[in-house]
Amino acid sequence: MPAYAIAHLQEAAPVPEIVEYIERVAGTFEPYGGRFLVHAAQHEVKEGSWPGHVVVIGFPGIAEARDWWGSAAYQEIAPLRSRHIKGDIILVEVVPEGYDPAVTARAMREALPAE
């Protein structure tokens, strides 16, 4: 099942280390089948606030996403970003084919305290 690395990164002034990170980052995830799905794109906030930028990298599966994140190549360049940009980064799998949210809702309803 495909998986994604999703980053919500705060605004930051461009500095040489950020430029170097952007130049090098694709080379760290391509060996794991990763590719940018969202990068340097405008987003439209519909509810709440979402300052900064969103980045989405697609992978063939969660194992590849984890292997990329833990790779020596990525860990070598990660400080170039993290020293200058605060943010949140998650790895997440897609839901399986045929996923039914009603099943999840039913389990949640059954777990609610009796009224």
Side-chain angles (χ1 to χ4, degrees), residues 41-60:
Q42 294 293 340
H43 61 273
E44 190 173 320
V45 177
K46 295 297 189 184
E47 202 171 305
S49 67
W50 193 288
H53 302 282
V54 64
V55 176
V56 180
I57 303 167
F59 290 92

Side-chain angles (χ1 to χ4, degrees), residues 25-106:
V25 70
T28 68
F29 58 68
E30 288 169 349
Y32 300 94
R35 69 180 188 90
F36 277 121
L37 300 176
V38 177
H39 187 254
Q42 294 293 340
H43 61 273
E44 190 173 320
V45 177
K46 295 297 189 184
E47 202 171 305
S49 67
W50 193 288
H53 302 282
V54 64
V55 176
V56 180
I57 303 167
F59 290 92
I62 195 71
E64 291 87 350
R66 288 179 181 137
D67 288 347
W68 161 71
W69 181 261
S71 71
Y74 183 68
Q75 291 304 311
E76 177 184 323
I77 69 165
L80 300 174
R81 174 194 45 78
S82 64
R83 280 194 286 263
H84 305 283
I85 301 175
K86 293 185 186 295
D88 301 304
I89 301 173
I90 63 170
L91 303 180
V92 62
E93 286 184 291
V94 302
V95 296
E97 187 71 32
Y99 171 76
D100 182 355
V103 173
T104 301
R106 187 169 32 257

